[in-house]
């Protein structure tokens, strides 16, 4: 199967299932905030395509099923390429030998997110060291995403 097609299908799958991500956050407990403080470096590094996600105990608090294709709503924002979000997602195995990590943003333009992630149009993609690709796109007029796709892009 064509790797470009696999990458495109994975990006669509990651963003489509995360469409209901604009929920209000309940009050975070001190333990949730402590877990996030511990998990954030691993989550951010994975979404920024610096390395695969390291499943520490704190990360497992948020990523209960790494293949659920569901939104993970964090108890407080994390900064992805300098942009703050509480909505992320993890898919370790897309069924085609790849997986990825996604962050979603609202009230930020596609061009602003692309600039932060250092990708250029018209396709808004770039390959990263160690295999993988960062892609920026838009689900709708209000939600923009950054996806790190791993595996399927490795030839």
């Amino acid at each position: 199967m064509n790797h470009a097609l696999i990458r495109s299908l994975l990006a669509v799958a990651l963003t489509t299932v995360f469409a209901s991500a604009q929920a209000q956050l309940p009050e975070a407990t001190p333990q949730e905030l402590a877990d996030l403080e511990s998990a954030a470096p691993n989550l951010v590094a994975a979404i920024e395509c610096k390395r695969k996600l390291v499943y520490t105990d704190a990360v497992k608090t948020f990523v209960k099923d790494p293949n659920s294709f569901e939104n993970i709503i964090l108890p407080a924002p994390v900064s992805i390429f300098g942009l703050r979000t509480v909505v992320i997602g993890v898919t370790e195995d897309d069924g085609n030998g790849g997986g990825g990590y996604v962050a979603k943003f609202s009230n930020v333009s596609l061009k602003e997110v692309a600039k932060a992630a250092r990708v250029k149009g018209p396709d808004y993609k770039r390959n990263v060291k160690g295999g993988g690709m960062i892609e920026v796109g838009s689900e709708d007029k209000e939600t923009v995403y950054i996806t790190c796709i791993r595996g399927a892009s490795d030839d």
Side-chain angles (χ1 to χ4, degrees):
M1 185 174 238
N2 182 320
H3 286 295
L5 177 61
I6 291 170
R7 287 191 300 267
S8 295
L9 291 173
L10 179 59
V12 169
L14 284 169
T15 58
T16 301
V17 290
F18 298 130
S20 65
Q22 307 307 317
Q24 297 245 346
L25 291 178
E27 184 81 22
T29 67
Q31 184 60 52
E32 289 172 326
L33 294 174
D35 287 341
L36 181 59
E37 184 176 345
S38 178
N42 288 311
L43 295 168
V44 169
I47 295 167
E48 291 182 350
C49 242
K50 293 178 180 171
R51 66 176 180 264
K52 288 190 72 153
L53 184 59
V54 177
Y55 284 90
T56 64
D57 288 341
V59 168
K60 290 177 187 175
T61 302
F62 303 105
V63 183
K64 299 189 184 346
D65 179 357
N67 290 304
S68 71
F69 285 95
E70 292 185 14
N71 287 324
I72 298 168
I73 309 298
L74 301 173
V78 293
S79 180
I80 308 295
F81 294 115
L83 302 171
R84 296 169 59 83
T85 186
V86 294
V87 183
I88 65 167
V90 173
T91 304
E92 286 292 339
D93 181 7
D94 68 354
N96 291 310
Y101 316 104
V102 64
K104 294 183 150 196
F105 306 89
S106 58
N107 301 318
V108 182
S109 75
L110 177 68
K111 289 188 182 205
E112 290 172 292
V113 175
K115 181 178 179 182
R118 298 180 318 278
V119 299
K120 295 185 189 284
D123 62 353
Y124 295 106
K125 297 176 185 176
R126 73 174 163 93
N127 291 321
V128 295
K129 289 181 182 178
M133 178 181 60
I134 293 177
E135 180 176 7
V136 172
S138 179
E139 294 180 347
D140 52 43
K141 293 181 182 187
E142 297 177 13
T143 307
V144 179
Y145 63 85
I146 295 173
T147 301
C148 168
I149 300 170
R150 290 274 184 195
S153 65
D154 299 337
D155 292 326

